Amino acid sequence: MNSRRRGPVHAAFDSGAYRDMVALARHTTWLNGAANRWSDYGLLLFVVPVVAGLRRNGWRALWVAGAMVAAFALSALTKLAFAEQRPCRTLPSVGHIVALCPPLGDYAFPSNHAVLAGAGAMAVWALDRRLGAVAAVNAVVIAAARVYVGVHYPHDVVAGLLFGALVAGGGTWAGSRLGPPVLRRVRGRRGSDGERPDAELPTIAVVLLGKYNRRNER
């Protein structure tokens, strides 16, 4: 009995908000299917700015995908560190949930979906402010849907959004600071390597011409 009581207390500070969201889902069954699909597939919308921005932004557009991958990898490690069980397991009394409860070992904190959404939104915002605003709305909807369908506490998705945004923002900042100097050095080396033979050709020609003239004079 004691162990059962300790389970829900693990995230008791927002279990009430979780119960309210699940209750909302129970009374809005017409929305259940759309929310469940959006919580899973809404992330695909982040592919649009990547494809649309490739011509104009080049490698910067690819950072949207790179930021999401990096954030997901770090999130997976964080999940193992906290090992927080899903609310659909620690609060079984809530009854109706829209999605299937993930298996044991598939931990809740932070929400991977929210992490990916937060990283994608921040990376898109770095490319284009208008698209970034739309991406941010999409990220919030995805995060809220994960609570609505019953597989995450609110703090899981809030932390996930912030986590993903920090990873993407940090990577963007580092790239903007470290990228240009590295590119300048690479281009400088290429330029110096390319110019050195051309610069030395006149000197070599003068030396050879001098030797030729001295021989003729003799």
Side-chain angles (χ1 to χ4, degrees):
M1 292 297 292
N2 290 337
S3 61
R4 289 184 179 179
R5 288 178 182 176
R6 288 172 186 169
V9 174
H10 183 65
F13 74 94
D14 63 347
S15 61
Y18 169 79
R19 290 177 184 275
D20 291 341
M21 285 291 283
V22 171
L24 176 64
R26 186 163 52 247
H27 291 95
T28 55
T29 53
W30 54 271
L31 185 59
N32 288 181
N36 195 22
R37 285 189 292 273
W38 198 276
S39 75
D40 281 332
Y41 303 115
L43 292 169
L44 294 177
L45 290 180
F46 290 107
V47 175
V48 176
V50 175
V51 176
L54 278 176
R55 288 186 178 180
R56 186 174 62 181
N57 298 300
W59 69 269
R60 291 179 60 208
L62 294 177
W63 172 239
V64 177
M68 294 174 73
V69 171
F72 179 83
L74 294 172
S75 174
L77 295 175
T78 306
K79 276 179 176 286
L80 294 176
F82 283 91
E84 179 190 85
Q85 293 298 336
R86 301 274 179 165
C88 46
R89 295 195 176 279
T90 58
L91 298 173
S93 60
V94 297
H96 168 85
I97 63 169
V98 177
L100 292 175
C101 192
L104 286 170
D106 187 349
Y107 299 119
F109 181 85
S111 164
N112 278 337
H113 286 74
V115 167
L116 289 167
M122 178 60 76
V124 171
W125 185 83
L127 286 176
D128 185 286
R129 298 296 187 266
R130 292 182 181 179
L131 287 177
V134 175
V137 172
N138 183 41
V140 171
V141 172
I142 291 172
R146 297 303 288 170
V147 181
Y148 177 90
V149 301
V151 295
H152 279 291
Y153 288 106
H155 73 266
D156 295 335
V157 298
V158 171
L161 288 174
L162 294 174
F163 187 96
L166 285 173
V167 172
T172 300
W173 179 86
S176 65
R177 294 296 185 277
L178 302 178
V182 171
L183 287 175
R184 282 196 297 269
R185 287 185 179 181
V186 171
R187 288 172 181 172
R189 288 177 181 176
R190 288 179 180 176
S192 62
D193 291 343
E195 292 173 5
R196 192 172 298 162
D198 296 336
E200 290 177 354
L201 279 175
T203 304
I204 295 172
V206 169
V207 171
L208 292 176
L209 183 60
K211 290 183 177 181
Y212 176 80
N213 289 335
R214 284 195 295 272
R215 286 179 181 178
N216 287 338
E217 289 175 357
R218 291 175 184 174

